[in-house]
Amino acid sequence: MTGCPLSLAKLLGAGLECPAPIVHGVMRCGSFPRQWLRTETRSLRDIAALYNCEASLEKVEEFRTAEGLKSISSKCFEAANISAILIDDGITFDKMLDLESHKALSPLIGRVLRIERLAETIINDESFSGSSWTLDSFTESYVAKLKSVSTQIVALKSIAAYRSGLEINPNVSKTDAEDGLRKELTGPRPFRITNKNLIDYLFTCSLEIAVSANLPVQIHTGFGDKDLDLRKCNPLHLRAVLEDKRFSKCQIVLLHASYPFSKEASYLASVYSQVYLDFGLAIPKLSVHGMTSSLKELLELAPIKKVMFSTDGYAFPETYYLGAKKARDVVYNVLAAACEDGDLSIQEAIEAVDDIFRRNALHLYKLNVTNGSINNETTIAGGGVSSTSVEEDVLFVRIIWSDASGQNRCRVVPAGRFYEVTRNKGVGLTFAVMGMTSFCDGPADGTNLTGVGEIRLVPDMPTLLRLPWSSREEMVMADMQIRPGEAWEYCPRNALRKVTKVLLDEFNVTMKAGFENEFFLRRKLVSDGVEQWVPYDNTNYCSTSAFDGASSILQEVYSSLKTSDIVVEQLHAESGKGQFEIALKYILCTLAADKLIYARETIKSIARKHGLLATFLPKPDLNDIGSGSHVHLSLWEDDQNVFMGSSKDNFYGMSKTGAQFLAGVYHHLSSILAFTAPHPNSYDRIQPNTWSGAYLCWGKENREAPLRTACPPGVPLELVSNFEIKSFDACANPHLGLAAIVAAGIDGLRRGLKLPEPVESNPADYASKLQRLPQNLQESVESLSGDKVLHELIGDKLVKAAIAIRKAEIDHYAKNPGAFNDLIYRY
């Protein structure tokens, strides 16, 4: 993937991991088009890379023949990550899969009805002689047929551009249309409609039905096959239709980016509320420069909410893959440039990705990808979705936040109200929520947060997803705002966004994070009327029997995480009794924090479903091993890992940038612990000889060091690709923990800090020479209190509130040691 200074690819997820597009097309059974690949060397290279074969036409054909259509279709669609196929079946091939067969390739299949094809099917019906048709009888049959299928399709489509051009006369007279029909019927069968007056009449009748049935209408615009007169395909010719008040509510989709009339299409979408834009076919058909410039032109005036992508795949599964792949590359480049130019913020760019690839099409075509349904009753009004039938599908939406004590909390809103009101305006919440502790639902003294004052908890819609374990509920992360569009200074998600923006603005770098989730499974035991939660098993590290015993639960967890687009890289039994670990793929740190919260919610809920309790508490049993939330971190610029060193820039495998960033983390680590190990219980876990990082040091592949640089498989042995922080646990708010790390790294880069020499053996062997990290929460709080850098970058008020919460918890658990027992229910 090519890049620019704003590494937006990390915000989307690398490669093809951004939201799944909606595509159009129909699959053909047959041989591969040799001429197509011969003229598309770029496509040949991309397909050969997918098939892991030599980039030659012969080798690609050889692979296709050996694998068969079913196998290559699965490979292409899985790689493309397509969530819905909208099929225009108005184009025919010698051999075709029916609509039902496509369901093996995508969760949702919808039909797009081509109006010219429907009209030709009617007048070519052998039961009627051509001479018997009148305009009235033809119109009656056409309208009746169109109305009969209106609830079974997602859109209408016109190829008037191919036949007579886009200068449609919406007021064509019946006399002219009748004359046009007579002229068509004098030709040879099968009839192919080309008369402009008849096409204009058909087009107008179809728009009237589309309005009454609330169906969008796709219109071919711009370039196409050789039988098209490009001069007549400029979408500006549609002005008479767009100005007609009868069709002001008809949603019209201009296909193919209207290339080479992309600027004209953008203008129309900006001035006519009913016009939407789809840039399929332009991508991947054009050159890279052509694709990029065309999309940029579309976005110059058109609102992002009205621009969408479809692969325009057809006939061969490879066309779907190529469209999806190149679109993600091009959208990344264009939106990254928009961020660099100041047209978009990073968060706005992230939302634009979801809009362009998924959300705009879902709303326009009224699709529900989660359950594979098409909701023809849902209407679009004022940019939102009406609640006419939403609660038939989704009942509740959980609006989630994580407080300063690391507890996940939620407000639940009925889905109807959520989509009508809450998604845009949020819900009210007291200031006190960010001052609460793990032992009391009231603000701690010194937080300066009370029950006086209210914020808005505003859903961050790109994070919305269906609960895998509860099909009639959704959940969404929320931002805390003091007023519309203005972040509250105590909002953890905003704190992380704020420091990552500094990192990006000053050093052109973003940070990726991948978390390891360690947790204990416990089962209920009732003895003499007393309820206890005891270990799920008593096995050891990476035990096969432990995994086998919990396999059904872990399979459900994995499937649920996958459904939620949370990528699991490894999972295994850990050293503790009933302890397991699930490691997540590294992604942009702002997304990683959100997905960590979702992952824990998923694990806890599925365990509960099986009658078990999953706890992420650092040390639930003082006589057993502890649970961490180790995080692996790397720095990226222009799609390149800039934490990793090179032959010319190598400090123990790190680049200069990587070493200075890590030096900042090393320098501030004692303060960082107040965010990453924020509970008194955290320090029962951070002990020597437990792989938790008890001494201030770092080392390459040293699992006893709190900071470990890592050289995973595939990385040259003399280099490292990331570093791991051991002293991070699940009592931490992940956004605040990562914000503290980024803030420390920024200080390291600003001041050019240097690391000491690495420790290459057990740090406990050098206990007399190494500084011990804080042995209790009080020591880390004292360090944070005097850390001006973290106060400045994270926000003084938020840091002081966190310190007050920590002090309250130190005091409470010192006086009430038995209260630790209740924490398994909170973490």
Side-chain angles (χ1 to χ4, degrees):
M1 184 180 284
T2 58
C4 68
L6 289 174
S7 197
L8 186 63
K10 316 311 172 301
L11 305 178
L12 309 181
L16 296 183
E17 292 170 12
C18 64
I22 313 299
V23 305
H24 307 147
V26 63
M27 291 289 293
R28 172 186 176 187
C29 306
S31 60
F32 203 51
R34 296 181 65 90
Q35 180 61 31
W36 178 69
L37 267 189
R38 191 173 289 121
T39 59
E40 293 283 355
T41 55
R42 182 187 69 207
S43 298
L44 178 61
R45 291 195 301 270
D46 289 339
I47 292 171
L50 175 67
Y51 292 162
N52 195 26
C53 68
E54 180 185 311
S56 69
L57 184 61
E58 290 71 22
K59 290 299 182 181
V60 168
E61 286 190 323
E62 182 181 305
F63 181 88
R64 296 180 94 255
T65 301
E67 292 291 313
L69 178 64
K70 183 176 181 180
S71 175
I72 63 169
S73 296
S74 296
K75 182 181 289 289
C76 288
F77 275 78
E78 182 177 349
N81 189 23
I82 288 169
S83 60
I85 308 177
L86 307 186
I87 297 178
D88 165 19
D89 54 3
I91 184 172
T92 58
F93 300 105
D94 51 348
K95 295 179 181 180
M96 293 171 58
L97 298 178
D98 58 24
L99 265 68
E100 191 69 22
S101 299
H102 288 75
K103 290 184 177 179
L105 304 173
S106 174
L108 189 150
I109 306 297
R111 183 187 178 199
V112 176
L113 180 66
R114 186 181 294 199
I115 62 175
E116 293 84 4
R117 175 71 174 173
L118 175 63
E120 289 164 352
T121 301
I122 291 171
I123 63 175
N124 281 310
D125 190 332
E126 293 294 340
S127 60
F128 296 92
S129 64
S131 59
S132 67
W133 285 113
T134 65
L135 184 66
D136 286 340
S137 64
F138 169 72
T139 302
E140 182 180 352
S141 295
Y142 178 79
V143 170
K145 181 63 175 176
L146 195 50
K147 286 184 175 179
S148 71
V149 298
S150 63
T151 59
Q152 303 163 31
I153 60 179
V154 297
L156 300 179
K157 180 177 180 178
S158 172
I159 56 167
Y162 273 100
R163 305 296 178 84
S164 56
L166 294 179
E167 198 168 358
I168 305 291
N169 177 9
N171 297 306
V172 62
S173 69
K174 291 189 68 174
T175 301
D176 289 341
E178 182 97 55
D179 181 64
L181 178 61
R182 282 199 303 270
K183 289 179 179 178
E184 294 288 359
L185 295 175
T186 59
R189 284 180 181 264
F191 301 118
R192 181 177 184 271
I193 299 173
T194 58
N195 182 271
K196 182 180 185 316
N197 288 330
L198 182 57
I199 287 175
D200 290 359
Y201 178 80
L202 272 175
F203 188 95
T204 305
C205 287
S206 301
L207 255 60
E208 290 173 343
I209 295 171
V211 171
S212 64
N214 192 28
L215 286 170
V217 178
Q218 299 179 347
I219 301 177
H220 179 107
T221 60
F223 74 132
D225 297 333
K226 64 181 181 180
D227 58 341
L228 173 149
D229 186 340
L230 190 61
R231 295 168 298 178
K232 297 180 180 180
C233 297
N234 189 324
L236 291 180
H237 290 313
L238 291 168
R239 187 171 184 273
V241 173
L242 299 176
E243 290 285 340
D244 195 310
K245 292 182 179 179
R246 291 174 296 169
F247 311 129
S248 62
K249 299 296 184 184
C250 183
Q251 293 152 332
I252 290 176
V253 186
L254 306 181
L255 298 177
H256 306 156
S258 297
Y259 182 83
F261 310 111
S262 302
K263 287 185 177 180
E264 289 86 342
S266 180
Y267 166 74
L268 293 177
S270 71
V271 297
Y272 292 104
S273 62
Q274 70 268 44
V275 174
Y276 295 78
L277 309 176
D278 184 310
F279 55 94
L281 186 64
I283 297 176
K285 201 69 174 176
L286 304 178
S287 68
V288 173
H289 174 76
M291 292 185 288
T292 302
S293 61
S294 178
L295 180 55
K296 282 185 175 180
E297 289 177 354
L298 288 184
L299 294 175
E300 283 179 355
L301 284 173
I304 289 175
K305 292 288 185 183
K306 301 176 83 176
V307 180
M308 65 199 78
F309 172 72
S310 64
T311 64
D312 206 66
Y314 65 97
F316 303 95
E318 290 86 353
T319 61
Y320 296 80
Y321 166 70
L322 291 171
K325 180 182 186 300
K326 297 309 295 183
R328 289 176 168 109
D329 292 349
V330 172
V331 169
Y332 154 60
N333 285 332
V334 171
L335 293 183
C339 289
E340 189 173 47
D341 293 341
D343 287 334
L344 294 175
S345 68
I346 292 177
Q347 187 60 32
E348 288 167 341
I350 294 172
E351 293 180 7
V353 170
D354 200 37
D355 285 336
I356 290 170
F357 280 112
R358 187 178 66 93
R359 192 160 48 198
N360 293 345
L362 293 179
H363 288 175
L364 181 70
Y365 297 113
K366 306 165 191 68
L367 309 176
N368 189 321
V369 172
T370 303
N371 64 10
S373 70
I374 300 168
N375 182 4
N376 292 96
E377 299 301 317
T378 304
T379 58
I380 303 216
V385 183
S386 79
S387 61
T388 304
S389 59
V390 67
E391 288 193 5
E392 294 178 7
D393 180 30
V394 179
L395 197 61
F396 296 139
V397 181
R398 303 180 187 182
I399 305 174
I400 293 179
W401 76 96
S402 182
D403 66 19
S405 69
Q407 296 180 89
N408 296 343
R409 300 176 185 263
C410 72
R411 281 286 187 88
V412 181
V413 179
R417 178 168 178 79
F418 178 86
Y419 283 101
E420 282 182 359
V421 178
T422 310
R423 62 174 293 175
N424 294 317
K425 296 183 179 179
V427 295
L429 204 63
T430 174
F431 282 2
V433 294
M434 281 302 291
M436 293 178 180
T437 66
S438 63
F439 64 86
C440 177
D441 284 341
D445 292 341
T447 59
N448 200 33
L449 296 166
T450 69
V452 178
E454 186 167 273
I455 60 165
R456 289 290 178 267
L457 202 60
V458 180
D460 182 7
M461 292 303 292
T463 67
L464 181 76
L465 59 82
R466 185 72 60 96
L467 299 189
W469 63 89
S470 180
S471 62
R472 297 198 65 194
E473 292 187 54
E474 294 175 331
M475 61 182 172
V476 62
M477 294 298 300
D479 288 319
M480 295 173 170
Q481 297 182 358
I482 193 66
R483 55 180 59 87
E486 182 180 336
W488 190 37
E489 54 201 337
Y490 294 90
C491 176
R493 296 181 85 230
N494 183 66
L496 179 56
R497 278 198 294 263
K498 184 171 65 174
V499 294
T500 55
K501 185 178 186 302
V502 173
L503 182 65
L504 185 63
D505 290 347
E506 292 189 20
F507 303 101
N508 200 31
V509 166
T510 58
M511 187 176 80
K512 279 188 176 183
F515 284 95
E516 300 174 7
N517 286 275
E518 294 178 342
F519 59 94
F520 286 91
L521 287 179
R522 292 190 168 185
R523 56 187 175 85
K524 186 186 293 186
L525 177 67
V526 179
S527 178
D528 297 328
V530 178
E531 178 184 291
Q532 291 180 299
W533 287 97
V534 299
Y536 184 71
D537 62 29
N538 292 304
T539 55
N540 54 2
Y541 175 72
C542 282
S543 164
T544 54
S545 60
F547 193 89
D548 189 56
S551 181
S552 61
I553 301 167
L554 296 173
Q555 286 179 31
E556 187 172 349
V557 167
Y558 172 77
S559 297
S560 296
L561 293 175
K562 186 176 181 180
T563 299
S564 302
D565 197 28
I566 298 173
V567 180
V568 174
E569 291 200 326
Q570 291 189 46
L571 57 170
H572 60 84
E574 263 293 352
S575 298
K577 297 174 182 177
Q579 189 185 33
F580 295 87
E581 178 183 306
I582 297 179
L584 307 181
K585 181 178 176 60
Y586 61 90
I587 54 177
L588 188 79
C589 63
T590 48
L591 303 179
D594 289 343
K595 294 198 174 189
L596 180 65
I597 291 171
Y598 280 171
R600 289 175 184 164
E601 288 294 301
T602 300
I603 293 166
K604 290 170 81 71
S605 297
I606 290 174
R608 190 179 300 115
K609 175 181 172 182
H610 287 266
L612 303 175
L613 182 144
T615 179
F616 294 83
L617 188 67
K619 196 78 166 178
D621 184 346
L622 297 181
N623 296 314
D624 202 351
I625 204 73
S627 287
S629 186
H630 310 163
V631 62
H632 291 257
L633 303 163
S634 51
L635 303 176
W636 294 77
E637 178 183 349
D638 292 348
D639 204 33
Q640 296 295 318
N641 185 335
V642 294
F643 180 82
M644 185 162 59
S646 65
S647 58
K648 298 180 181 179
D649 182 16
N650 190 331
F651 177 81
Y652 290 100
M654 293 174 276
S655 67
K656 179 180 178 181
T657 296
Q660 289 180 352
F661 187 94
L662 183 57
V665 176
Y666 173 91
H667 182 78
H668 292 275
L669 189 55
S670 293
S671 302
I672 291 172
L673 259 59
F675 288 107
T676 62
H679 199 278
N681 185 256
S682 302
Y683 297 84
D684 293 325
R685 168 184 165 263
I686 302 176
Q687 300 293 328
N689 303 309
T690 59
W691 296 11
S692 57
Y695 294 92
L696 180 58
C697 62
W698 74 279
K700 182 176 179 180
E701 298 296 9
N702 188 339
R703 284 175 168 78
E704 279 292 350
L707 303 173
R708 172 178 78 99
T709 57
C711 177
V715 174
L717 293 177
E718 69 275 10
L719 301 179
V720 293
S721 64
N722 65 85
F723 71 97
E724 177 188 22
I725 296 185
K726 292 283 189 179
S727 310
F728 203 125
D729 66 47
C731 289
N733 177 302
H735 297 90
L736 293 181
L738 290 174
I741 293 165
V742 173
I746 289 170
D747 188 48
L749 291 169
R750 282 176 173 175
R751 296 200 285 152
L753 295 178
K754 295 183 178 180
L755 286 165
E757 291 298 303
V759 173
E760 298 179 343
S761 58
N762 189 341
D765 295 340
Y766 305 93
S768 61
K769 298 179 181 179
L770 293 175
Q771 177 185 332
R772 184 78 152 84
L773 281 173
Q775 299 185 57
N776 54 59
L777 183 56
Q778 181 64 43
E779 291 180 8
S780 64
V781 166
E782 289 173 358
S783 180
L784 177 61
S785 296
D787 197 318
K788 294 181 180 179
V789 170
L790 267 58
H791 279 256
E792 175 192 347
L793 287 170
I794 297 173
D796 186 61
K797 290 184 179 180
L798 178 53
V799 172
K800 286 180 176 178
I803 288 172
I805 292 169
R806 308 294 182 258
K807 288 181 175 179
E809 295 193 321
I810 292 167
D811 181 66
H812 177 79
Y813 290 103
K815 295 176 179 177
N816 303 279
F820 281 112
N821 297 330
D822 294 330
L823 292 175
I824 60 171
Y825 306 105
R826 294 180 179 253
Y827 296 102

